[in-house]
Amino acid sequence: MNRDYPLEKVRNFGIIAHIDAGKTTTSERVLYYTGSQHKIGEVHEGETTTDWMEQERERGITITSAAITCFWTKTGEKDKKDTSKKFRFNIIDTPGHIDFTAEVKRSMRVLDGAIVVFDGVAGVEPQSETNWRYADEAAVPRVCFINKLDRTGASFEHSYASILDRLSPKAIRMQIPLGEEDKHEGAIDLLTMKAYTYAGNMGDEVIEGEIPAHLLEDAKKYRAELIERIVEQDDAAMGAYLEGKEPSLEELNKILRKAVINNDIFPVYCGSALKNKGVQLVLDAVVDYLPSPLDLKPVTGTNPKTGEPVERHASDDEPFCALAFKLQTDPFVGALTFFRVYSGTLTAGSYVYNSTTGTKERISRIVRLQADKREEVEKVFTGEIAAAVGLKDTKTSHTLCDEDAPIMLEEIKFPEPVVSLRIEPKTKADQEKMGMALRKLSDEDPTFRIKTDEETNETIISGMGELHLEILVDRMKREFNVVADVGKPQVAYRETILGSAEAEGKYIKQTGGKGQYGHVKIRMKKMEPVDPEAKVAKNVTREDHFEFINNIKGGAIPQEFITPVEKGMREAMTRGVLAGFPMVDISIDLYDGSYHDVDSSEIAYKIAASMAFQEAAQKAKAVILEPIMRVEVVVPEKFMGDITGSISGKRGQIEGMEDRGMNKAVHAKVPLSEMFGYTTTLRSMTEGRGNMTMEFDHYDVVPSNVAADIIASRK
């Protein structure tokens, strides 16, 4: 079986946006116009293809990213029977709600480009900023689409200004709208200087026409801006332009494509997906400006055996290399492992090497995905996104490759969960099923964590927010038939120190015969933020929140006991000295100790290290940290006084306000512990007209009176 389309005609891209910007509606139009489906499903009717989970359809939001494959021929070239004009799109529709942010983060890692959708009334919203940041981290080229220009209060210029101001000054108008609000008819393309309107049953027909006289001057002015920005990217074109020669349309497109792929320009388009206006021209932009796998730098990783850097080029002839970026439990086929192929090919029935775990696994079947439907394929090629059935040891972020040419790609880093719940099965029969369901759900979602409270033996689940945990508990009930009782949401507090201290731990136990002896002296201080690129000294081990420095001289503690000392410190960090919360940002300097020829043992040094840690932490001004959330509340102006008062009453700090269409948006930082149930309060305060979004911002020290209450409640 050979590749049925050339690699330069492949586009892997995601559709990302803040919740309610119209992302799934845009995806549905994409599926319809590309001929993948013959009916458009609407979010408000609960019939969309990409929102296929019951919970998504009930709530009208996207929860899990859905992969779809379709084919597109550029507008104006469709009447030709030439199939060589077809481009293959592998698309991932991602969630917009902050609680499911891991889906966006992992999708950005495996995609080559993105369409970023904005609400034409609200412009840039909080989750737009987070998604943009993820795309920046992954250096993903982007095309912007200002949607919903048919809504009352819509303003292309306001939304465009918010992109320049809050996301990137590199954005540039490619189009301006033909009318706004109820007069929105289409768009003016500034490169071709043509007006485009839409006719037919679902806006299928794109009609090219002349620019209306009243918009001609604006179009000329904005076109001059656009041409200047494009020619700035190329010295020869710039020189010719300054001499009064404008490059041809073909040259401009070529320069613009290169600039978009290098993230030097972000083109901005406009329309209304719900009213079937503008989507086809955005798909043309995907073809013209977003990269194929061949346009990107080779993927880099390390050889797991030698630690040397290795790279793979996008080619079917290179050794196989893929990244598993998502797991999903499917009721019909079992575990599905989504992967992106960076090089080589993979055939069903063959074996792959998991370089992360060092094990081999057999690929029994490969499926290509159409949201919740699947098509079985014999072979996948470079640049494809597919799913393997039945992999047992492969988890999110693992690298799959050819055993003879091993490579390990960089893992995807996910944010830490901030909300916890106690959960217990309703009946004895649910006990075993619950353990299995939780394990499968945590395999699927790296931001969902499970642990057992050692003192009470209760199961604690942690996630990114109330909605995140509510959905997971609901999925346990529906997909795994597990009925469970849940406690109140709890905040994921942390503990740290503000000062420094010295301490020693001595563990001596005589039991008639061989005893136990461990003795350590340590210095503890707060771990300073360090440059991840900085070289780490040989005697230092460093993780995100822990640093261990081995300064033992002259064999005061034998080398074989240093690792147990470090382990003892790590274990002690899991239970803080104030209220038993995990400790973070601790630096330990092990500078002295002693040993006994006969009685010293690993366990003795672990216990001694733990004792020293506890003593030092108590001396070093231990404090409790709480998650602070970045909150945005959008309300009609008449409720502003009530809202600012309620935020201040929740220990919140208001950081700014702005007009948002007909409403006001309040930006604030508020402790998470004060925000549980706030959505309900907000609705009752604003006659149901207020909206709120929040996302984790940082950890901060809890005020002493609040800390006293937390400690008392944990005793």
Side-chain angles (χ1 to χ4, degrees):
M1 179 185 165
N2 294 322
R3 178 188 278 284
D4 52 359
Y5 48 86
L7 195 52
E8 62 270 16
K9 295 214 181 285
V10 175
R11 299 287 182 274
N12 292 312
F13 64 94
I15 300 181
I16 59 173
H18 182 89
I19 191 166
D20 278 348
K23 187 170 32 50
T24 301
T25 305
T26 305
S27 302
E28 288 297 314
R29 297 313 181 270
V30 171
L31 286 173
Y32 176 74
Y33 295 133
T34 55
S36 291
Q37 64 187 44
H38 304 296
K39 174 180 177 287
I40 292 180
E42 300 296 5
V43 173
H44 52 269
E45 291 166 3
E47 290 181 353
T48 56
T49 302
T50 55
D51 284 358
W52 52 271
M53 284 168 66
E54 286 174 36
Q55 293 89 338
E56 293 178 312
R57 292 185 167 182
E58 285 167 6
R59 290 171 170 81
I61 61 168
T62 304
I63 291 169
T64 181
S65 48
I68 42 184
T69 301
C70 49
F71 294 88
W72 176 246
T73 308
K74 277 184 68 178
T75 309
E77 297 179 355
K78 292 189 188 313
D79 50 340
K80 300 171 185 172
K81 289 177 181 173
D82 185 359
T83 54
S84 67
K85 303 276 185 196
K86 267 192 178 181
F87 283 78
R88 180 199 178 95
F89 287 173
N90 298 317
I91 308 173
I92 294 184
D93 175 36
T94 63
H97 197 288
I98 184 62
D99 282 13
F100 310 104
T101 188
E103 292 285 342
V104 183
K105 189 150 183 141
R106 59 171 152 206
S107 300
M108 283 298 97
R109 176 58 199 282
V110 297
L111 293 169
D112 303 335
I115 297 174
V116 191
V117 183
F118 299 93
D119 183 322
V121 178
V124 172
E125 297 173 271
Q127 191 62 13
S128 320
E129 293 184 50
T130 306
N131 292 342
W132 193 272
R133 193 173 71 243
Y134 289 157
D136 276 343
E137 285 169 14
V140 170
R142 278 145 274 176
V143 166
C144 303
F145 176 53
I146 295 174
N147 187 27
K148 299 194 175 186
L149 286 178
D150 59 308
R151 279 183 61 200
T152 305
S155 162
F156 175 80
E157 286 304 317
H158 162 77
S159 301
Y160 174 65
S162 71
I163 295 172
L164 294 179
D165 181 41
R166 292 170 64 179
L167 299 182
S168 173
K170 296 176 183 176
I172 187 74
R173 300 175 194 83
M174 295 294 289
Q175 296 177 336
I176 55 172
L178 268 175
E180 285 173 347
E181 300 183 336
D182 55 351
K183 295 186 176 64
H184 179 60
E185 289 173 10
I188 294 164
D189 186 292
L190 298 175
L191 267 187
T192 59
M193 286 298 272
K194 294 287 180 192
Y196 291 94
T197 52
Y198 300 86
N201 184 25
M202 286 293 191
D204 310 46
E205 292 172 47
V206 182
I207 299 163
E208 187 183 289
E210 295 308 312
I211 298 171
H214 69 284
L215 290 170
L216 195 57
E217 283 310 305
D218 278 353
K220 284 178 179 170
K221 179 179 83 175
Y222 293 135
R223 185 177 196 272
E225 265 179 43
L226 172 64
I227 303 298
E228 271 179 37
R229 281 290 292 283
I230 296 173
V231 296
E232 275 172 15
Q233 309 296 323
D234 184 281
D235 293 343
M238 188 70 176
Y241 184 70
L242 292 172
E243 287 168 17
K245 294 176 203 153
E246 185 185 295
S248 68
L249 200 56
E250 198 177 323
E251 278 177 77
L252 287 170
N253 267 324
K254 200 170 166 187
I255 298 166
L256 182 54
R257 176 176 175 78
K258 192 176 168 193
V260 172
I261 290 169
N262 292 338
N263 281 317
D264 291 327
I265 287 181
F266 301 114
V268 181
Y269 291 79
C270 61
S272 163
L274 186 65
K275 293 287 169 24
N276 309 309
K277 294 178 171 70
V279 175
Q280 293 101 313
L281 297 183
V282 176
L283 294 182
D284 288 351
V286 167
V287 166
D288 287 339
Y289 309 123
L290 289 187
S292 78
L294 292 173
D295 294 311
L296 299 169
K297 291 176 184 160
V299 66
T300 55
T302 52
N303 184 321
K305 290 171 184 169
T306 63
E308 289 172 2
V310 196
E311 56 181 42
R312 292 275 185 276
H313 296 80
S315 162
D316 292 344
D317 301 327
E318 292 247 333
F320 175 70
C321 161
L323 184 74
F325 67 95
K326 178 178 161 73
L327 268 66
Q328 187 175 305
T329 305
D330 185 284
F332 304 107
V333 296
L336 282 173
T337 307
F338 288 61
F339 61 91
R340 155 76 197 261
V341 184
Y342 286 104
S343 66
T345 61
L346 181 66
T347 311
S350 61
Y351 282 86
V352 288
Y353 178 65
N354 182 332
S355 58
T356 313
T357 60
T359 55
K360 276 176 81 170
E361 291 207 62
R362 185 172 180 271
I363 303 280
S364 57
R365 290 158 65 199
I366 303 171
V367 292
R368 213 175 265 156
L369 292 134
Q370 205 67 5
D372 61 333
K373 299 183 179 63
R374 56 201 66 73
E375 165 203 350
E376 203 155 322
V377 291
E378 277 300 303
K379 192 173 185 180
V380 284
F381 300 87
T382 298
E384 287 199 33
I385 291 170
V389 178
L391 293 182
K392 290 187 173 58
D393 299 328
T394 303
K395 303 278 182 277
T396 301
S397 255
H398 286 187
T399 304
L400 302 173
C401 62
D402 185 332
E403 194 176 7
D404 297 332
I407 181 172
M408 197 158 142
L409 303 175
E410 189 188 340
E411 293 200 349
I412 309 167
K413 289 191 168 59
F414 292 101
E416 287 294 312
V418 290
V419 177
S420 301
L421 284 177
R422 293 178 185 278
I423 184 166
E424 57 183 43
K426 262 268 201 303
T427 66
K428 200 84 177 139
D430 287 321
Q431 179 87 45
E432 203 172 306
K433 285 198 293 185
M434 186 177 95
M436 192 180 73
L438 289 174
R439 196 178 66 251
K440 283 187 175 174
L441 290 170
S442 69
D443 281 347
E444 279 185 30
D445 186 345
T447 56
F448 176 55
R449 309 277 168 83
I450 312 149
K451 68 171 186 191
T452 304
D453 188 316
E454 287 171 12
E455 287 175 7
T456 61
N457 223 14
E458 290 173 306
T459 303
I460 311 283
I461 56 173
S462 308
M464 299 306 294
E466 285 181 274
L467 180 65
H468 185 201
L469 293 178
E470 185 190 315
I471 297 277
L472 287 162
V473 171
D474 189 40
R475 283 188 62 195
M476 266 175 41
K477 189 173 163 186
R478 294 192 198 193
E479 292 172 31
F480 301 97
N481 297 319
V482 177
V483 184
D485 289 326
V486 291
K488 278 189 183 160
Q490 296 172 327
V491 178
Y493 292 108
R494 299 278 184 267
E495 294 182 27
T496 191
I497 52 168
L498 298 179
S500 56
E502 290 193 14
E504 73 174 308
K506 208 169 204 178
Y507 180 69
I508 304 172
K509 194 173 181 186
Q510 292 305 129
T511 51
K514 188 176 184 300
Q516 299 283 3
Y517 183 92
H519 177 215
V520 299
K521 292 184 180 180
I522 63 165
R523 294 187 190 96
M524 177 186 282
K525 63 174 188 176
K526 191 169 173 63
M527 182 179 167
E528 298 303 324
V530 285
D531 178 8
E533 300 297 315
K535 284 202 165 71
V536 182
K538 273 186 179 170
N539 66 328
V540 178
T541 52
R542 185 183 291 150
E543 289 174 3
D544 282 352
H545 295 291
F546 177 61
E547 182 178 62
F548 181 75
I549 305 162
N550 172 16
N551 269 328
I552 292 295
K553 304 281 189 293
I557 298 175
Q559 191 58 39
E560 68 263 29
F561 296 130
I562 302 294
T563 304
V565 170
E566 189 181 335
K567 273 187 185 162
M569 298 291 173
R570 283 177 206 276
E571 283 175 20
M573 276 183 73
T574 60
R575 290 194 65 76
V577 293
L578 293 177
F581 296 113
M583 296 197 77
V584 293
D585 301 333
I586 304 283
S587 176
I588 298 288
D589 179 358
L590 173 66
Y591 70 91
D592 200 4
S594 62
Y595 73 101
H596 189 283
D597 285 337
V598 177
D599 291 353
S600 284
S601 66
E602 289 194 5
I603 190 73
Y605 276 100
K606 262 176 98 170
I607 295 169
S610 186
M611 288 160 65
F613 184 97
Q614 297 277 342
E615 188 188 327
Q618 275 162 345
K619 289 182 187 171
K621 296 184 195 153
V623 289
I624 295 177
L625 300 173
E626 65 180 343
I628 306 294
M629 309 303 279
R630 190 186 315 153
V631 176
E632 182 185 90
V633 183
V634 181
V635 291
E637 193 168 352
K638 68 174 182 175
F639 300 112
M640 281 293 284
D642 296 345
I643 295 306
T644 52
S646 79
I647 289 173
S648 302
K650 291 181 173 298
R651 300 193 282 126
Q653 288 184 317
I654 292 169
E655 298 198 317
M657 300 176 196
E658 62 172 338
D659 291 326
R660 183 65 62 76
M662 322 284 272
N663 296 325
K664 289 272 187 197
V666 183
H667 301 281
K669 300 263 173 74
V670 191
L672 174 63
S673 58
E674 304 281 348
M675 293 304 291
F676 291 127
Y678 187 62
T679 306
T680 312
T681 312
L682 176 67
R683 289 199 177 127
S684 62
M685 283 166 64
T686 59
E687 299 165 5
R689 292 155 69 192
N691 276 315
M692 178 200 85
T693 54
M694 70 173 181
E695 67 174 301
F696 172 72
D697 191 75
H698 67 285
Y699 270 94
D700 209 346
V701 178
V702 174
S704 53
N705 60 321
V706 180
D709 292 344
I710 295 169
I711 293 166
S713 73
R714 297 277 288 185
K715 283 285 181 276

